[in-house]
């Protein structure tokens, strides 16, 4: 989007902020939301039984206790509207309130999905013209999070006549649902999904989104994960505690990447303070996948209470260094080797003065759970192709 368009978008946002809305205690997501979402593995085959099984698995595998508490039903739960316009779930979800009660009984929270357009991306019923009714229905069921996905609203935008008008309509539509959610009186986390259009990171906060997708869809392959993850360079200043950039859900455990590549995925998402929403079948995880998803030291980087998103601090060709300041004054530092796998391992150097650190620095490897010792000026380490070394560094 050019500067003029951004400027216009900013004006529209400030106009809409005049809309009165019931106060809510903010932030609803003081650290990046963690949980599971049905889309990446089940797509439109998700149903009540599979969601219950995933909730059970969150508990049984220790994922809930590691912080994964949202159980998010993505597209394809929607049924028809009744004669009064209220939405009902389809046959795959016979009783949404009972499902919510089940999820809550496990100490988990329920997320649901809709679109500001008339239809969702899978051509189910969207919320266009029914925002308040849908928000009320979600609140009655006991929903705790809404992912609101642009989908067919793009057709409405296409009729707008100009990019500025299209963006204004989109921002108004997202604002409308936030206000509808607020009017229910139930705290419902608002997860905006419009693939980053119109630089959403510049206005997502102003319309009351708790998180906003910054990219198109992830896929379970290294090239796409890396394309999305590394494209986040420069966005750190737009995230604050309770307002998160969302580079899409995790693919860890879905089988399309090596363990090394999934470690890169987790490390990068943790440095980015990204929502950690698993997208695999939690009932069939290898111990390796469980370990990848539940590494407490990696999760602690993502969930750090300072809520500062990390960013790229150095790049030389295919070698990148990213750092995230942490609440205790230490830094999480990730060294990424983006070379293709046939190039094999490379030695990377971390120069402490590039991070503003002088003198002796102690270094801990967060995947190995190992203190590596104290180093002066520089730390050198082998990093496998498509891989990462994730460190926590602190002054002695
Ligand atoms: C879009 C979203 C995905 C998923 C699908 C469902 O592509 O970006 O995350 O929600 O729609 O149809």
């Amino acid at each position: 989007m050019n500067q003029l368009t951004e400027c216009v978008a900013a004006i529209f946002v400030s106009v809409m902020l005049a809309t009165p809305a019931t106060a809510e205690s903010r932030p609803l997501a003081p650290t990046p939301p963690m949980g599971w979402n049905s889309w990446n593995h089940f797509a439109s085959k998700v149903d009540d039984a599979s969601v219950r099984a995933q909730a059970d698995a969150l508990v049984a595998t220790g994922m809930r206790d590691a912080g994964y508490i949202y159980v998010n039903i993505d597209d394809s739960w929607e049924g028809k509207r009744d004669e009064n316009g209220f939405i009902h779930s389809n046959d795959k979800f016979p009783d949404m309130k009972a499902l919510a009660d089940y999820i809550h009984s496990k100490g988990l929270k329920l997320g649901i999905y809709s679109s500001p357009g008339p239809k969702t991306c899978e051509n189910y019923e969207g919320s266009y013209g029914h925002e308040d009714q849908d928000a009320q229905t979600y609140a009655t069921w006991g929903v705790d999070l809404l992912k609101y996905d642009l989908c067919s609203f793009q057709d409405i935008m296409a009729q707008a006549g100009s990019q500025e008008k299209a963006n204004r309509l989109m921002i108004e539509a997202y604002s409308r649902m936030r206000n509808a959610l607020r009017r229910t009186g139930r705290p419902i986390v608002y997860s905006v999904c419009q693939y980053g259009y119109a630089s959403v990171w510049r206005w997502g906060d102003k319309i009351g989104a708790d998180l906003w997708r910054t990219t198109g869809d992830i896929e379970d392959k290294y090239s796409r994960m890396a394309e999305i993850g590394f494209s986040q360079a420069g966005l750190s200043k737009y995230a604050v505690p309770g307002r998160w950039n969302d580079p899409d859900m995790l693919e860890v455990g879905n089988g399309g990447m090596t363990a090394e590549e999934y470690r890169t995925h987790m490390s990068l998402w943790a440095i980015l303070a990204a929502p950690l929403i698993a997208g695999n079948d939690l009932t069939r995880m290898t111990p390796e996948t469980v370990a990848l998803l539940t590494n407490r030291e990696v999760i602690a980087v993502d969930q750090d209470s300072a809520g500062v998103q990390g960013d790229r601090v150095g790049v030389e060709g295919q070698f990148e260094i990213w750092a995230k300041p942490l609440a205790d004054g230490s830094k999480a530092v990730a060294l990424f080797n983006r070379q293709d796998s046939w190039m094999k391992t490379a030695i990377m150097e971390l120069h402490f003065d590039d991070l503003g650190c002088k003198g002796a620095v102690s270094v801990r490897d967060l995947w190995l759970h190992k203190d590596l010792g104290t180093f002066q000026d520089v730390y050198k380490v082998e990093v496998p192709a498509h891989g990462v070394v994730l460190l926590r560094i602190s002054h002695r």
Side-chain angles (χ1 to χ4, degrees):
M1 189 166 70
N2 63 32
Q3 278 189 340
L4 174 66
T5 321
E6 279 177 10
C7 179
V8 172
I11 292 166
F12 289 136
V13 168
S14 53
V15 168
M16 283 181 305
L17 284 176
T19 313
T22 313
E24 68 190 349
S25 53
R26 294 171 75 182
L28 296 177
T31 59
M34 293 176 65
W36 174 87
N37 174 294
S38 56
W39 185 253
N40 285 354
H41 178 78
F42 289 94
S44 57
K45 295 198 172 64
V46 66
D47 62 9
D48 179 281
S50 52
V51 172
R52 284 173 193 252
Q54 299 301 314
D56 293 347
L58 278 171
V59 178
T61 59
M63 282 184 66
R64 178 196 61 187
D65 295 342
Y68 294 86
I69 56 164
Y70 285 95
V71 177
N72 297 343
I73 304 169
D74 208 278
D75 204 352
S76 93
W77 65 265
E78 307 88 342
K80 301 273 174 251
R81 293 189 182 279
D82 62 25
E83 61 278 15
N84 297 317
F86 285 96
I87 186 93
H88 294 267
S89 48
N90 60 34
D91 291 348
K92 295 189 295 155
F93 291 91
D95 187 342
M96 208 53 113
K97 171 88 172 73
L99 179 56
D101 289 347
Y102 183 77
I103 284 165
H104 292 152
S105 78
K106 303 253 159 192
L108 300 166
K109 291 174 180 250
L110 175 64
I112 211 161
Y113 169 99
S114 190
S115 170
K119 293 287 174 193
T120 67
C121 295
E122 287 292 294
N123 213 27
Y124 288 88
E125 199 64 25
S127 293
Y128 185 70
H130 294 276
E131 292 82 359
D132 273 298
Q133 282 181 312
D134 287 0
Q136 266 172 40
T137 301
Y138 306 150
T140 308
W141 286 341
V143 164
D144 306 294
L145 177 149
L146 172 68
K147 173 175 169 182
Y148 208 43
D149 191 356
L150 191 63
C151 303
S152 68
F153 197 84
Q154 290 173 94
D155 302 339
I156 293 167
M157 292 167 69
Q159 307 294 319
S162 72
Q163 185 71 56
E164 282 82 359
K165 177 126 188 273
N167 287 347
R168 177 169 60 84
L169 292 176
M170 174 178 64
I171 294 168
E172 281 173 358
Y174 276 93
S175 198
R176 199 152 45 240
M177 183 50 103
R178 170 76 276 179
N179 290 335
L181 293 172
R182 283 187 180 135
R183 280 190 286 271
T184 68
R186 183 175 174 85
I188 298 178
V189 170
Y190 191 38
S191 170
V192 162
C193 175
Q194 42 77 283
Y195 335 121
Y197 289 161
S199 307
V200 61
W201 43 89
R202 295 184 186 276
W203 50 267
D205 176 24
K206 299 186 183 70
I207 63 146
D210 300 295
L211 58 157
W212 48 81
R213 275 273 294 278
T214 53
T215 69
D217 288 12
I218 197 167
E219 292 164 44
D220 187 21
K221 55 184 189 194
Y222 176 80
S223 57
R224 182 62 179 155
M225 179 280 293
E227 180 186 5
I228 283 177
F230 291 110
S231 77
Q232 302 302 288
L235 294 189
S236 59
K237 62 177 182 237
Y238 301 105
V240 294
R243 298 286 180 258
W244 307 108
N245 287 313
D246 174 8
D248 207 1
M249 304 172 285
L250 299 172
E251 292 281 9
V252 176
N254 277 332
M257 294 184 231
T258 65
E260 199 57 62
E261 292 168 341
Y262 283 139
R263 242 188 308 282
T264 295
H265 187 8
M266 278 299 285
S267 304
L268 185 50
W269 264 236
I271 288 279
L272 291 170
L276 297 180
I277 307 294
N280 56 318
D281 181 355
L282 307 178
T283 67
R284 289 164 205 275
M285 289 194 285
T286 62
E288 190 175 53
T289 296
V290 177
L292 277 162
L293 287 168
T294 59
N295 182 316
R296 300 284 177 133
E297 294 191 67
V298 176
I299 290 173
V301 170
D302 181 80
Q303 296 286 302
D304 182 72
S305 62
V308 179
Q309 178 172 333
D311 217 321
R312 190 163 62 194
V313 294
V315 56
E316 279 178 30
Q318 296 287 81
F319 302 104
E320 299 199 12
I321 299 180
W322 290 60
K324 179 183 197 287
L326 302 173
D328 66 357
S330 66
K331 285 190 168 74
V333 182
L335 293 83
F336 297 103
N337 174 0
R338 296 183 61 186
Q339 294 186 107
D340 288 329
S341 16
W342 56 270
M343 302 284 286
K344 307 238 167 48
T345 295
I347 294 178
M348 290 183 68
E349 295 185 359
L350 174 63
H351 293 269
F352 300 136
D353 59 359
D354 290 347
L355 299 167
C357 299
K358 302 247 176 289
V361 165
S362 52
V363 178
R364 180 172 174 81
D365 187 308
L366 301 185
W367 285 109
L368 298 178
H369 301 298
K370 194 170 163 197
D371 287 325
L372 301 174
T374 302
F375 297 83
Q376 202 79 32
D377 302 325
V378 63
Y379 176 70
K380 299 182 188 181
V381 64
E382 283 194 2
V383 186
H386 288 193
V388 64
V389 168
L390 182 62
L391 307 172
R392 188 166 183 141
I393 68 159
S394 41
H395 284 293
R396 294 193 67 208

